[in-house]
Amino acid sequence: MTAQVPDAPDGGHGRPVPDATVARLAVYLRVLTELRWAATGPAAPLGHPRTISSADLARLAGVKPANLRRDLTFLGSYGVRGVGYDIHLLTTGISAALGADRSAPVALVGLGNLGQALAGYAGFGGRGFRIAALFDADPQRIGRTVAGLVIQDIGDAGRVCREAGIAIGVIATPEHAAQPVADVLVGAGVRSILNFAPGVLLVPDDVQVRRVDLALELQMLAFHEGRRADPAPTGVAVSS
Amino acid sequence: MTAQVPDAPDGGHGRPVPDATVARLAVYLRVLTELRWAATGPAAPLGHPRTISSADLARLAGVKPANLRRDLTFLGSYGVRGVGYDIHLLTTGISAALGADRSAPVALVGLGNLGQALAGYAGFGGRGFRIAALFDADPQRIGRTVAGLVIQDIGDAGRVCREAGIAIGVIATPEHAAQPVADVLVGAGVRSILNFAPGVLLVPDDVQVRRVDLALELQMLAFHEGRRADPAPTGVAVSS
DNA sequence: GTATGTGAATGGGTTCACAGCC
DNA sequence: GGCTGTGAACCCATTCACATAC
């Protein structure tokens, strides 16, 4: 899926931005933010550069320069030929394009280890969202404070999400709880869900679900590693 | 990168399997395993089906039928026209192709909330890997038991990984510790790294790194949600 | 000279549509 | 009739190479 920008027929920016590009823009933004921070921090090098080349930024972000330049054309022209990109301008531009200057309220459901990690992980800000409410079903957890927020009863999620205008939910519960939680969130007006539980969620067509399977990432790494070690495909254990 | 299977000139399988396909195969395998479990479990429906059609399996896995059939052709022919796929045969086939019947030992570094979540998450088995060693730098954590394993000192990681023949590492530490940890792992012979810390790791070319940025997933969800709510694209509000 | 912006080529992956087989 | 297996078309994304601008 690509993000469709309705109509901007004439010059300048306003093309649909590919999903892959959006992901990389977020990476560039993080790198640039660190750069600016380093430049204004205590150990600011004299003559901090105001610009950066696509080659340098690409190296820091782990992509190819051509790919980066292509990505930036979706925002318009922030670069100067022969010179590079103005760091401040570029930062502002990417941030605006990503909507990272807003902070959409997010509900996080399930505060086991993963949920707590997410609550802490996302504490930064400047990323386009903020964790605004925490929910769990375990009475032992309800009422405790995590990352500055009190964990509330999942039973209250509908009301709370509606009142706070929360449109994004994160599910970090065990597998069996994921579907019921999704139902509650959808009922409360949530339109986008990030799901860390295994399995496919059933939701209305207009609700967007993004799934992250942590074990899958490891499984793929193990697969590639296995292929490296042992060329034989349908693996009968060879001598070792 | 695609996984190159060197030579299987005659019949059967042996083509390079696209990365995207590998990821989906893992999903099919999980769905099939749950199916078989349900069929032999306490509430086994009478006349449990021995086969499944691409349409049904695709729906359960959340993909299109044609895509699934294309994926399965990389393994060879496990289906029967007019009937479907033999569930048992298909399960075995995918498992073998993915190397999910082996269990590569994995070292997990960093046992904060995320690390503990991963240690528990990956407890299943049948996924091609097993968590074999835990490391942390915090004396408060070293010696404690998580998911049946004792947390060891990161200083011992080199020796332990070498002795255990560990080729896969997971980094779930804070950002500032990621690079030194990667250096230690690479020094110990680790060839594949799954990195949950932000930032790019510098490693030798022959070491494969896979990065997962949890906040990035949320950021992309927020981006799409923002686009839905507010059509106005590039709000270059600033011109200072 | 140096670095951006971009047409054009390339490569991968998905989807269609139907031939082939049960 | 039903469903798989697959050539072909399509779409998206990356990469090259160079015209363009400073």
Side-chain angles (χ1 to χ4, degrees), chain A residues 105-236:
Chain A
V106 171
L108 172 57
V109 186
L111 281 124
N113 281 316
L114 179 58
Q116 288 186 46
L118 289 168
Y121 210 89
F124 297 53
R127 289 272 228 163
F129 65 91
R130 68 173 194 281
I131 305 291
L134 307 177
F135 299 101
D136 204 298
D138 184 348
Q140 299 264 336
R141 291 187 186 144
I142 295 168
R144 297 190 58 182
T145 298
V146 172
L149 291 169
V150 176
I151 302 175
Q152 303 179 73
D153 191 318
I154 181 65
D156 297 332
R159 181 179 52 77
V160 173
C161 287
R162 246 188 311 270
E163 286 178 7
I166 291 177
I168 302 176
V170 177
I171 298 178
T173 65
E175 181 168 9
H176 66 87
Q179 185 61 57
V181 165
D183 295 341
V184 169
L185 292 176
V186 170
V190 166
R191 298 169 59 89
S192 302
I193 294 176
L194 185 61
N195 180 29
F196 284 90
V200 175
L201 291 182
L202 292 169
V203 296
D205 285 343
D206 61 334
V207 175
Q208 185 189 180
V209 175
R210 214 180 155 85
R211 211 167 76 72
V212 179
D213 183 341
L214 299 178
L216 177 60
E217 299 292 335
L218 249 174
Q219 187 166 9
M220 295 208 44
L221 214 65
F223 169 79
H224 284 117
E225 185 55 39
R227 280 299 160 101
R228 260 211 275 207
D230 169 24
T234 325
V236 182

Side-chain angles (χ1 to χ4, degrees), chain B residues 53-54 69-70 77 79 81-82 85:
Chain B
S53 69
S54 67
R69 292 202 299 277
R70 172 78 65 194
S77 261
R81 293 169 198 243
Y85 297 90

Side-chain angles (χ1 to χ4, degrees), chain B:
Chain B
M1 271 272 289
T2 58
Q4 189 48 268
V5 175
D7 45 72
D10 64 326
H13 28 64
R15 276 164 298 174
V17 182
D19 231 28
T21 293
V22 174
R24 281 190 300 268
L25 285 175
V27 176
Y28 307 152
L29 181 56
R30 200 177 43 68
V31 171
L32 286 170
T33 306
E34 284 178 11
L35 265 187
R36 268 160 54 80
W37 202 84
T40 58
L46 29 89
H48 34 207
R50 307 188 82 85
T51 64
I52 189 169
S53 69
S54 67
D56 286 347
L57 183 51
R59 190 171 33 76
L60 291 172
V63 304
K64 299 219 175 180
N67 204 343
L68 181 142
R69 292 202 299 277
R70 172 78 65 194
D71 287 337
L72 294 186
T73 60
F74 286 102
L75 313 186
S77 261
Y78 284 98
V80 179
R81 293 169 198 243
V83 179
Y85 297 90
D86 181 287
I87 292 180
H88 176 68
L89 214 60
L90 186 56
T91 306
T92 310
I94 296 180
S95 185
L98 288 180
D101 43 2
R102 304 169 205 178
S103 77
V106 171
L108 171 56
V109 185
L111 282 123
N113 281 315
L114 179 58
Q116 289 186 46
L118 288 167
Y121 209 90
F124 296 54
R127 289 271 228 163
F129 65 90
R130 68 171 196 284
I131 305 292
L134 306 178
F135 300 100
D136 204 298
D138 184 348
Q140 299 262 336
R141 290 187 187 143
I142 296 168
R144 297 189 59 182
T145 299
V146 171
L149 291 169
V150 175
I151 301 174
Q152 302 178 75
D153 191 318
I154 181 64
D156 298 332
R159 182 180 50 78
V160 173
C161 287
R162 245 187 311 270
E163 287 178 6
I166 291 177
I168 301 177
V170 178
I171 298 179
T173 66
E175 181 169 9
H176 66 87
Q179 185 61 56
V181 165
D183 296 340
V184 169
L185 291 177
V186 169
V190 165
R191 299 169 59 90
S192 303
I193 293 175
L194 185 61
N195 180 28
F196 284 91
V200 175
L201 291 182
L202 293 169
V203 297
D205 286 343
D206 62 334
V207 174
Q208 184 188 180
V209 175
R210 216 179 154 84
R211 211 167 75 73
V212 178
D213 183 341
L214 299 178
L216 177 60
E217 300 292 335
L218 248 174
Q219 187 166 8
M220 296 208 43
L221 214 64
F223 169 79
H224 283 116
E225 185 56 38
R227 282 296 161 104
R228 264 211 274 205
D230 169 23
T234 326
V236 188
V238 195
S239 65
S240 54

Side-chain angles (χ1 to χ4, degrees), chain A residues 90-111:
Chain A
L90 186 57
T91 305
T92 310
I94 296 180
S95 185
L98 289 181
D101 43 2
R102 303 170 206 174
S103 78
V106 171
L108 172 57
V109 186
L111 281 124

Side-chain angles (χ1 to χ4, degrees), chain A residues 55-77:
Chain A
D56 286 348
L57 184 51
R59 191 171 33 74
L60 291 172
V63 305
K64 300 220 173 179
N67 204 344
L68 181 143
R69 291 202 300 276
R70 173 76 69 194
D71 287 339
L72 293 186
T73 60
F74 287 102
L75 314 185
S77 261

